[in-house]
Amino acid sequence: MRIVAVYCFISTSLVQGFVPLPHTAKTFGKEAFPTTVTSLAAEENNPFAFITSLLPKQEEKVIIKEEKPKIPDAVCDPDFKLGAVVLAVAPFVLGLSTIVEGGSPSLFGVLVSLVHGLFGALFLVQATRIRFVFDETCFELKNRGVDDDLISSGSNVVVGGENRWTYDSFVNYEFFGPSQLPILVYFKETQTPEEQWSVGPGQFDKNNNGQVHFFPVIANPGQLKAQFELRGCAKIEA
C-alpha cells in the first residue's frame, strides 16, 4: 500500500508539472512576441512565397513639379524721340507764324511755339529722370538717383499713394499715336481705392471700373509693350 501511495504521489506531481501556470500564458502570448515574428513565420510557412520573390518589385514614382522660371526684373530704356519732336515743333511754328504775318510772328504763334518748347523740354528732362520698372509682382515708376540707382518717385500727383501697381490689378492698357512714334500710354487699374476712380482723368470714364492713368512715352515703347504682355497685364482688344 505504501508503494501504491508513493506511486500516486509521483504521478500527481508529474501531471501538475505539465499544467501551464497563469503567468505562462501571458509570458508566451502575443505581447511576448512582436507581430513581425508572426508575419515572418507565416511567410516561411507559405508554400507560394517563392513566387513573390520572382516577381519584379514595383518602384515608387516620385513626381517632381517643375517650377515656372522666374521672370527677371526689367527697367525700360529712356526714349527721347517724343521730347525732341515736340521741342523741334517750337521754332517751326514760330518761323511759320513769322512768314504768315509778313515779318513778325503773331501772338498766337508765339504762344503755340512757347507751349511746344516747354513741353518738349519737360519730356526730355523726364526721360532722363524717370524709369519704368517691372519687378516680380508690380509695375512701378522710379526716379534715377545721382549714382544711377533707382529711388522712389514719391506719391502720385493725382490720387496720392505710391506709383506702384500690381499686374493683376490691370483692367486695360493702350498706346496712342503712330506706331513708330506713340505719344501717350494709357492704363487702368483697380488697386486705387474705388472712391478715387473719378478723380482726375477718371471723371471722363463712363465705365468707372478702375483708376485711369496717362503718361507720355518717355521710355522705349517696344519694351513697355513687351513687358505688359510678358507680365500678363489685362488688355481689352478692340
Side-chain angles (χ1 to χ4, degrees):
M1 290 296 292
R2 290 183 179 179
I3 296 175
V4 174
V6 172
Y7 176 77
C8 292
F9 175 77
I10 295 174
S11 300
T12 304
S13 301
L14 291 174
V15 172
Q16 290 178 348
F18 287 99
V19 174
L21 298 176
H23 68 275
T24 307
K26 183 176 181 180
T27 305
F28 295 94
K30 294 182 179 179
E31 296 181 0
F33 292 93
T35 307
T36 52
V37 176
T38 306
S39 301
L40 292 173
E43 291 183 2
E44 291 178 356
N45 295 329
N46 185 3
F48 302 102
F50 73 97
I51 299 178
T52 306
S53 63
L54 296 177
L55 296 176
K57 295 183 178 180
Q58 294 183 353
E59 297 182 358
E60 294 183 359
K61 294 182 179 180
V62 179
I63 301 176
I64 301 176
K65 294 183 179 179
E66 295 184 0
E67 295 183 358
K68 292 183 180 180
K70 181 182 177 181
I71 303 175
D73 297 349
V75 180
C76 295
D77 296 330
D79 193 291
F80 302 97
K81 291 194 295 289
L82 179 62
V85 169
V86 174
L87 186 62
V89 171
F92 174 79
V93 171
L94 189 63
L96 182 62
S97 177
T98 301
I99 296 173
V100 171
E101 294 297 327
S104 61
S106 65
L107 179 61
F108 177 76
V110 172
L111 291 177
V112 172
S113 177
L114 181 61
V115 169
H116 278 80
L118 292 176
F119 272 99
L122 176 63
F123 293 159
L124 290 174
V125 171
Q126 294 292 69
T128 61
R129 192 173 68 89
I130 295 178
R131 293 293 179 265
F132 296 83
V133 181
F134 294 83
D135 61 23
E136 187 176 358
T137 59
C138 296
F139 165 59
E140 183 174 7
L141 302 185
K142 287 192 173 185
N143 289 342
R144 185 173 67 90
V146 178
D147 299 324
D148 286 338
D149 55 335
L150 298 178
I151 59 178
S152 173
S153 59
S155 299
N156 188 277
V157 295
V158 179
V159 295
E162 288 185 310
N163 291 308
R164 177 179 173 85
W165 306 274
T166 59
Y167 303 125
D168 55 8
S169 71
F170 271 58
V171 176
N172 191 21
Y173 69 89
E174 190 58 80
F175 292 80
F176 295 104
S179 58
Q180 300 299 324
L181 185 63
I183 299 172
L184 285 176
V185 178
Y186 146 84
F187 74 94
K188 182 187 289 188
E189 45 81 17
T190 57
Q191 179 175 302
T192 301
E194 187 172 351
E195 58 269 17
Q196 299 285 346
W197 290 357
S198 59
V199 176
Q203 60 186 311
F204 304 106
D205 181 21
K206 296 180 180 179
N207 295 324
N208 195 31
N209 60 343
Q211 175 62 48
V212 175
H213 300 269
F214 289 97
F215 56 85
V217 181
I218 54 177
N220 187 303
Q223 294 177 0
L224 278 172
K225 184 178 180 181
Q227 287 297 321
F228 282 146
E229 294 175 350
L230 183 63
R231 309 288 174 169
C233 298
K235 186 179 189 307
I236 300 175
E237 300 294 341

